[in-house]
Amino acid sequence: MSHIDRDPVKFAYWVPNVSGGLVISNIEQRTSWTIEYNRKLAQIAEASGFEYALSQIRFTAGYGAEFQHESVAFSHALLESTTTLKVIAALLPGPWNPALAAKQIATINHLTNGRVAVNVVSGWFRGEFHAIGEHWLDHDERYRRSEEFIRALRGIWTQDSFTFRGDFYRFSDYSLKPKPLDPQPEIFQGGSSRAARDMASRVSDWYFTNGNTPEEIRKQVNDIQGKAEANGHSVRVGVNAFAIVRETEEEAKAVLAEIIEKANPDAVNAFGHEVKNAGKASPEGEGNWAKSSFEDLVQYNDGFRSNLIGTPQQVAERIVDLKRAGADLILLGFLHFQEEVEYFGKHVIPLVRELEQAASTQAIAAE
Ligand SMILES: Cc1cc2nc3c(=O)[nH]c(=O)nc-3n(C[C@H](O)[C@H](O)[C@H](O)COP(=O)(O)O)c2cc1C
């Protein structure tokens, strides 16, 4: 099956549960990190064709995200305000241990009819770990811990008398009751380094990666899916993008230029320093942000690189290109979330569906 014949590409949005929006810039952002704003946004998103919302976990931040609501509690509030949206709560091994996380998520799973998922993040910000008294493990050790965390979550959720002897976590004859409803909560992970990809090919349901071109996404997809197959595992791929969709390409590009022109250089450089250091500490000396320029770093997960900046037609075509490269889900950030999520649902998603339909009809005709 070619990549384009798969299920319709899914859409997720970043929950702005931290202040400052999704770009490190002083440009006006009609986005708020409050619960009132976010409840309404979640309702708009589910009515606009978004299947998932991803909330963020942050304890401190040096790049403008000065206020941060905790991810699991916030995700639960959004689930209570919606009926179909799935909300992905971020968990950071270290502050969370798998016993607490498994129980907390199992309860939310029951309260919300199975709509909660998790994103296991491995950490990139040494200053944050120091601030909260957490050991800063080496890069690959962080992933070794995350993998044990995910194995423990799954074991607790699916087995009675769960026993596990890891280097980071231990369980003896533990039976969680009640277990989550079937299907089990989906487990996402973020990160693009060698260790991140290898972990995805062994244990995660979903691999989230930073924004990138279809060619670069394809390389990652081939790598992790080739390995996953050899491991008898299957994993899907979500790609980050910062969308600027306007009636004309000129308008969209002008917004991008203004975001960059009004970027906060000290905050962007401080963020770039931290994330590049975090990646350099991996054995291959690379991480999510190894090739990011100053402009790229203004969107803190390289969202401009996916180039969803233009007219609805251009953006829809590029989404289909990302899907061809192996993306199953597009994770979106916006400048003015409520209004742009609605616009995206009205003007872009229907075009994506038309293009997917046309591509699959062509594929059948060619058989
Ligand atoms: C889509 C996505 C969401 C992420 N969310 C968070 C988050 O909420 N909190 C956090 O501390 N790190 C988050 N991360 C960072 C990753 O967990 C990881 O630490 C980072 O991408 C570095 O990965 P690497 O060392 O494999 O390159 C996220 C990454 C991605 C791609």
Side-chain angles (χ1 to χ4, degrees):
M1 186 165 58
S2 90
H3 284 311
I4 200 67
D5 299 335
R6 295 186 325 260
D7 291 345
V9 67
K10 295 170 187 291
F11 293 98
Y13 73 92
W14 283 91
V15 174
N17 59 313
V18 304
S19 61
L22 269 285
V23 287
I24 311 174
S25 171
N26 297 322
I27 191 171
E28 184 202 8
Q29 297 190 60
R30 292 190 293 280
T31 288
S32 161
W33 58 286
T34 61
I35 188 61
E36 294 75 21
Y37 181 92
N38 269 287
R39 280 191 213 277
K40 182 153 178 234
L41 171 59
Q43 289 160 356
I44 293 171
E46 70 177 5
S48 301
F50 283 73
E51 187 168 334
Y52 294 94
L54 171 70
S55 69
Q56 309 167 58
I57 180 63
R58 212 160 286 329
F59 289 87
T60 72
Y63 57 85
E66 190 182 356
F67 301 99
Q68 316 104 20
H69 280 307
E70 189 277 317
S71 177
V72 177
F74 207 80
S75 297
H76 183 214
L78 297 184
L79 286 162
E80 290 293 343
S81 311
T82 49
T83 54
T84 58
L85 189 70
K86 296 177 206 159
V87 184
I88 311 163
L91 302 172
L92 183 60
W96 269 271
N97 70 38
L100 171 63
K103 192 140 186 86
Q104 201 177 21
I105 298 299
T107 294
I108 299 177
N109 166 279
H110 280 262
L111 299 179
T112 63
N113 201 20
R115 288 189 291 127
V116 66
V118 298
N119 184 28
V120 176
V121 305
S122 295
W124 53 269
F125 186 15
R126 193 172 24 187
E128 179 182 53
F129 277 56
H130 284 172
I132 62 171
E134 278 293 334
H135 294 296
W136 179 243
L137 301 175
D138 278 353
H139 182 273
D140 283 16
E141 286 295 283
R142 296 200 292 277
Y143 278 99
R144 223 158 61 77
R145 177 169 69 179
S146 293
E147 183 164 338
E148 282 192 10
F149 187 97
I150 293 173
R151 287 186 190 279
L153 276 187
R154 281 202 203 285
I156 297 167
W157 283 340
T158 55
Q159 296 172 31
D160 275 334
S161 300
F162 177 62
T163 296
F164 184 82
R165 293 275 175 266
D167 290 336
F168 299 91
Y169 305 114
R170 300 192 144 217
F171 289 85
S172 300
D173 208 11
Y174 175 52
S175 298
L176 173 77
K177 291 182 183 175
K179 297 203 172 16
L181 304 165
D182 270 329
Q184 292 291 302
E186 293 177 291
I187 301 181
F188 291 71
Q189 66 158 85
S192 309
S193 56
R194 162 90 281 128
R197 280 180 270 158
D198 288 353
M199 180 172 90
S201 74
R202 287 192 290 261
V203 290
S204 307
D205 295 318
W206 284 91
Y207 166 82
F208 263 141
T209 190
N210 275 5
N212 221 322
T213 59
E215 296 69 41
E216 292 299 317
I217 295 298
R218 189 185 297 276
K219 286 186 203 160
Q220 294 182 36
V221 170
N222 290 345
D223 178 53
I224 66 167
Q225 286 185 340
K227 283 190 181 144
E229 211 167 295
N231 295 334
H233 180 67
S234 101
V235 55
R236 286 184 284 178
V237 174
V239 176
N240 179 49
F242 191 84
I244 309 175
V245 193
R246 298 292 184 272
E247 274 179 36
T248 66
E249 186 179 9
E250 291 67 40
E251 277 175 88
K253 285 191 164 158
V255 174
L256 175 63
E258 191 187 342
I259 293 173
I260 289 170
E261 190 202 325
K262 294 187 173 158
N264 177 341
D266 291 345
V268 174
N269 286 327
F271 171 71
H273 175 76
E274 282 298 334
V275 293
K276 283 181 191 269
N277 252 351
K280 274 197 200 109
S282 63
E284 75 279 17
E286 284 203 3
N288 254 351
W289 294 273
K291 300 192 178 93
S292 310
S293 64
F294 177 89
E295 284 76 13
D296 292 331
L297 290 164
V298 174
Q299 201 298 302
Y300 51 74
N301 281 96
D302 278 349
F304 303 142
R305 286 184 147 203
S306 305
N307 196 21
L308 301 190
I309 297 165
T311 63
Q313 183 68 30
Q314 288 174 316
V315 168
E317 284 168 9
R318 289 172 196 162
I319 288 170
V320 172
D321 288 343
L322 286 167
K323 182 181 179 189
R324 277 204 182 88
D328 301 283
L329 177 152
I330 309 291
L331 169 66
L332 293 158
F334 301 92
L335 207 51
H336 313 301
F337 266 83
Q338 286 181 357
E339 48 214 91
E340 294 193 51
V341 159
E342 191 168 9
Y343 184 89
F344 194 91
K346 212 176 264 173
H347 298 283
V348 182
I349 296 180
L351 288 177
V352 172
R353 299 300 176 229
E354 277 175 29
L355 291 169
E356 286 178 314
Q357 187 60 44
S360 85
T361 312
Q362 270 173 7
I364 292 166
E367 269 168 17

